[in-house]
Amino acid sequence: MILRLSDRLGRVSANIRLTFWLVLLAAMALLAAQAMSRGAGIQSDILAMLPKIQEDPLTQRAIDRVEQQLANRIYLGVVSPDQATAIKGAKQLLSALQGAPEAFSQVQSADMQGAQALNRFYFPYRFHLLTAQQKDLLASGQLAKLEANTLAQLYNAFGYANSQLLSQDPLLLYPELLKQLSPQRRLKVVDGILVGQELAQEATVRTSLNKDTQGSSVAIVMAQGVGSAFNPKAQELQLSRLEGAISQMQKSLGSEQNVSVLKGGALFHAAAATTQAKREVSSLGLASLIGVILLVWLAFRSIMPLTIAALTIATSLVFALSATLWIFTQVHLLTLVFGTSLIGIAIDYSFHFYCERLQSQKADSGATEHDGLKKTTAATPTTGITATDAVARVFPAASLALLTTVIAYLAIGLTPFPGMQQVAVFCAAGLLGAYLTLIFAYPKLASSAMRPGDRALGLAARYLSAMQAIARPINGVKGIILTLGLLLAAIFGLNRLGVNDDIRALQQSPLSVTQGEQRLRQVMSGGTDNQFILVRAESAEKLLTRLEALSPTLASMQQQGVLGNSVNLARYLPSQASQQEAYRLQGEIYHKLPQVLARLGLDEDLAPVLMASFEASANEAITPDNFFASRAGELFAPLWLAPDVADTQGQIQTQAQPSNEISDSDDATYGAIVLLGGITDLHALTQAVAPLTGVTLVDKVQDISDVMAKYRSLTLSLLGLALVVAGLIFSLRFGLKMALWITAVPALAALLTLAGLGLAGSPLTLFHALALILVFGIGVDYSLFFAESHRGEGVMMAVFMSACSTLMAFGLLAFSQTPAIHYFGLTLLLGIGLTFVLSPFIHTLTRIDK
């Protein structure tokens, strides 16, 4: 079928082919322009490349809520040995960031208004609120201890007792409750600013640029970025305003004050990743392009092959960008970094075309000399076969190569990573553009005469002869010994090969970002981690009860050092049962109120008014509705997941499910998020909350890692399937034996690459597996051209140039600082190198049997 198609194309004139190619190129360019006019552009959001995890509706709502609250938060710590200086710097930062509403919102330090709002909200409900210690004392009849504490406050010059408070809360129970509601952090409020202390044992190793001394004060400033931290424009704006504010603050305080700023938040990780990706796109792509240009010039010593090669690359990039923008509307920076490898693959068609012409030119020249005619000098260009004939000769192998490589890229596109799906579309479309350029543009544009390439072809012939000399003795016992040796080496390497699917291993920010953030997290008692606890129940009351049941477990984890801190709604929103219990226990006080007032030395005339207030509040309780509608509850509202009103109609009347069999798909389920920070042992925490009903530790990072493990295995399975499919396709043209030889080269290269990774101690990841798919696709290309060729010198030269260009592209990716790209490039560096060494044996070994 391929030959019939080649014959039909041969009947089409070069001018018509060129016209068709120009129409295609114009259409793709128009498609790209249309996409750009609709707002398509470059995307750097690393979250956009992550797989989509299928969660139940409530869990997905919780994940979205947490990401919405935490993703764009930034934390700044003004560090100075002098507390007053740190506070002054923090105030200046607050003022500067509040003056940039286009970049930041919710700029604050200590929320004094929030603390006052808590006081205003809770005081009317004081008869329904008690601390755990107060409950225990009242339940055990130890009223005397509460009275003793009140007397201590009455005679303490720095106590919080006053006549107005005593007239409404004679045992001063309410102030203790307010203290419990305060966040459990080692931070104090000084002049409206949160201030922490960086202790010597908590500080990380200082760099020469960091001169802050041990025991420095750290004044905290927090803000919410406007727009996603991963959006390049929002990122640039926020960093610009922030750097300006910090610079102005340090200049105002003076260099002698020794003030530095610690930074934390996704913004700084995203900015580092964006800068690194842009740097690698420009440097790696430019280096690859320069390398390919030099390679073409050294091989052909002519401007025309160089021009045609550049045209091929440009066309492939137009096709790649147009298809990607049309399908995805955005091009990820990761796609562009991976896409630099397209330069090394798309140009292969140009190499095979010109090497075929050189080889035929040499053959024609040799035939002419054999006939006794005048020898062509090296300075005189000779024609050899026409460009149309050269295209016809490489057409079968190029078509099969395109088919198998596109299949390889489509296999990558089956992964759940949008970034990898873009890479698949980008590279597959780019290769199609290069292929179409070969078929339709080369017959006209590359028809000029060529200079003799005897030297390059001679080097290729000598290398091929060397491979043949190696291959000939590999028969019988020697072949068996060599095979066994390779198998043993492969088995040893594969036995040492481990796996690592943790997504966190693929995100490595610079030390300048991670060290400062870690110091800031220590000052803030651990900050907030990506993991959180989701508690669910069929009703709001049952949910609050479960949150209260979770509190002792979290407290135990904090005492054991497993957990740094947590934010549990149970502390701020007690259940109705808990409030009624507190009211009942306080009744023990008010039923003996005259005696209590007498023991405290207070006026007994207060008793009737206090008793009336107590009895009037019997039916007044805190509910989720009045709490979250208040100023005090605004901060905690994102942690509450109430079902839609339409979903809750008639919920109370329905038959409740058993408490330990809550349906995850029930849209009427209530949920609450418990934020966690400073986790040191995730496994221990998971084990601790596992027995609790309706309580789940949500770890999106682990979920993504599990998906990566699944698709790593799937990708390796697809590789095996692709080998089988390719073998069947090739057997239709070459026969079963030749098809086995062709597929054996990439299969053996992939196996030895895995063994090499094992020997090098590199763990296997999804990105290694994805790279092996390309090792298969490119390796098959090399084998196909050798199988199709009757004279191997031209193919050997083309394969050598192809391998060099590919290794320049992928070899440079191996030096990337981004782990995913590094793994991808390292695997291809090993795989393509091995494929280049093994592919000439297709030419030699298949001819030994003839």
Side-chain angles (χ1 to χ4, degrees), residues 360-384 449-454:
S360 65
Q361 171 185 293
K362 181 180 178 182
D364 291 347
S365 176
T368 303
E369 293 177 28
H370 181 73
D371 292 337
L373 300 178
K374 182 179 178 180
K375 182 178 179 180
T376 304
T377 64
T380 305
T382 58
T383 303
M450 295 184 61
R451 295 179 180 276
D454 293 348

Side-chain angles (χ1 to χ4, degrees), residues 17 33 49 65 256 321 328 384 392 515 521 558 661 729 781 841:
R17 290 195 194 189
M49 69 160 284
R65 191 73 64 85
E256 68 278 1
L321 285 172
F328 298 98
Q515 284 185 347
R521 286 172 66 92
Q558 288 181 239
E661 296 181 4
I729 294 174
D781 289 1
F841 288 98

Side-chain angles (χ1 to χ4, degrees), residues 35 38-43 48 320-332 335 412-427 429:
R38 294 198 310 264
I42 297 176
Q43 182 188 70
L321 285 172
S322 298
T324 306
L325 289 174
W326 183 64
I327 295 174
F328 298 98
T329 69
Q330 297 285 333
V331 178
H332 200 284
T335 303
I412 292 178
L414 293 175
T415 64
F417 288 78
M420 288 294 96
Q421 292 169 358
Q422 277 199 19
V423 169
V425 171
F426 187 92
C427 292

Side-chain angles (χ1 to χ4, degrees), residues 737-797:
K737 184 176 181 180
M738 179 67 79
L740 290 175
W741 279 120
I742 293 172
T743 54
V745 168
L748 185 57
L751 188 66
L752 292 177
T753 298
L754 288 174
L757 292 172
L759 293 173
S762 178
L764 182 64
T765 69
L766 173 62
F767 293 94
H768 291 98
L770 294 174
L772 287 176
I773 292 282
L774 290 188
V775 170
F776 156 75
I778 296 171
V780 164
D781 289 1
Y782 296 168
S783 301
L784 279 171
F785 278 101
F786 273 117
E788 285 281 359
S789 175
H790 298 289
R791 297 183 299 271
E793 294 87 348
V795 174
M796 188 68 251
M797 179 180 172

Side-chain angles (χ1 to χ4, degrees), residues 233-289:
K233 291 183 179 179
Q235 199 180 98
E236 183 179 356
L237 178 62
Q238 291 173 28
L239 288 173
S240 174
R241 298 292 184 270
L242 185 58
E243 289 169 1
I246 293 174
S247 176
Q248 183 62 34
M249 179 266 292
Q250 292 177 328
K251 182 179 179 180
S252 173
L253 294 177
S255 58
E256 68 278 1
Q257 295 296 332
N258 192 20
V259 175
S260 61
V261 178
L262 302 177
K263 304 172 186 176
L267 171 66
F268 308 106
H269 294 275
T274 300
T275 301
Q276 182 173 290
K278 287 181 177 178
R279 183 172 61 248
E280 290 178 355
V281 165
S282 58
S283 60
L284 298 182
L286 181 62
S288 177
L289 185 59

Side-chain angles (χ1 to χ4, degrees), residues 276-514:
Q276 182 173 290
K278 287 181 177 178
R279 183 172 61 248
E280 290 178 355
V281 165
S282 58
S283 60
L284 298 182
L286 181 62
S288 177
L289 185 59
I290 292 173
V292 168
I293 290 173
L294 288 174
L295 186 66
V296 174
W297 175 258
L298 292 173
F300 302 113
R301 300 300 180 105
S302 173
I303 192 66
M304 183 52 67
L306 193 58
T307 304
I308 295 299
L311 178 65
T312 305
I313 293 172
T315 303
S316 68
L317 291 176
V318 169
F319 271 71
L321 285 172
S322 298
T324 306
L325 289 174
W326 183 64
I327 295 174
F328 298 98
T329 69
Q330 297 285 333
V331 178
H332 200 284
L333 271 175
L334 180 71
T335 303
L336 295 179
V337 175
F338 277 119
T340 59
S341 61
L342 182 62
I343 296 171
I345 303 175
I347 202 171
D348 288 359
Y349 298 117
S350 179
F351 291 156
H352 285 288
F353 170 82
Y354 277 107
C355 288
E356 182 64 34
R357 292 196 68 186
L358 279 180
Q359 182 168 309
S360 65
Q361 171 185 293
K362 181 180 178 182
D364 291 347
S365 176
T368 303
E369 293 177 28
H370 181 73
D371 292 337
L373 300 178
K374 182 179 178 180
K375 182 178 179 180
T376 304
T377 64
T380 305
T382 58
T383 303
I385 61 173
T386 64
T388 302
D389 291 338
V391 169
R393 288 191 180 185
V394 300
F395 178 80
S399 300
L400 286 173
L402 175 71
L403 177 63
T404 53
T405 307
V406 168
I407 288 174
Y409 279 119
L410 290 178
I412 292 178
L414 293 175
T415 64
F417 288 78
M420 288 294 96
Q421 292 169 358
Q422 277 199 19
V423 169
V425 171
F426 187 92
C427 292
L431 285 180
L432 179 61
Y435 173 80
L436 293 174
T437 304
L438 167 71
I439 303 304
F440 294 104
Y442 277 37
K444 182 66 177 179
L445 299 180
S447 59
S448 60
M450 295 184 61
R451 295 179 180 276
D454 293 348
R455 183 178 179 183
L457 287 172
L459 290 173
R462 285 195 290 273
Y463 180 80
L464 200 59
S465 297
M467 291 293 102
Q468 188 172 356
I470 294 172
R472 286 190 184 279
I474 303 177
N475 283 313
V477 176
K478 290 184 179 180
I480 294 173
I481 293 174
L482 180 61
T483 303
L484 288 175
L486 286 174
L487 283 175
L488 287 175
I491 291 171
F492 181 71
L494 291 172
N495 189 53
R496 293 172 56 89
L497 183 65
V499 297
N500 183 9
D501 299 301
D502 192 344
I503 188 67
R504 284 165 289 205
L506 303 177
Q507 181 71 32
Q508 295 181 1
S509 295
L511 288 177
S512 59
V513 175
T514 57

Side-chain angles (χ1 to χ4, degrees), residues 114-124 174 178 632:
Q116 295 171 2
L118 283 175
N119 182 30
R120 288 194 299 269
F121 175 78
Y122 284 113
F123 190 76
Y174 182 67
L178 281 183

Side-chain angles (χ1 to χ4, degrees), residues 81 90 136 149 245 278 287 309 314 407 446 470 497 529 539 576 616 629 636 638 645 650 657 667 720 739 783 804:
D136 291 340
N149 180 64
K278 287 181 177 178
I407 288 174
I470 294 172
L497 183 65
D529 291 328
S539 66
Q576 295 298 306
F636 306 102
V645 176
Q657 302 179 51
D667 294 332
S783 301
C804 286

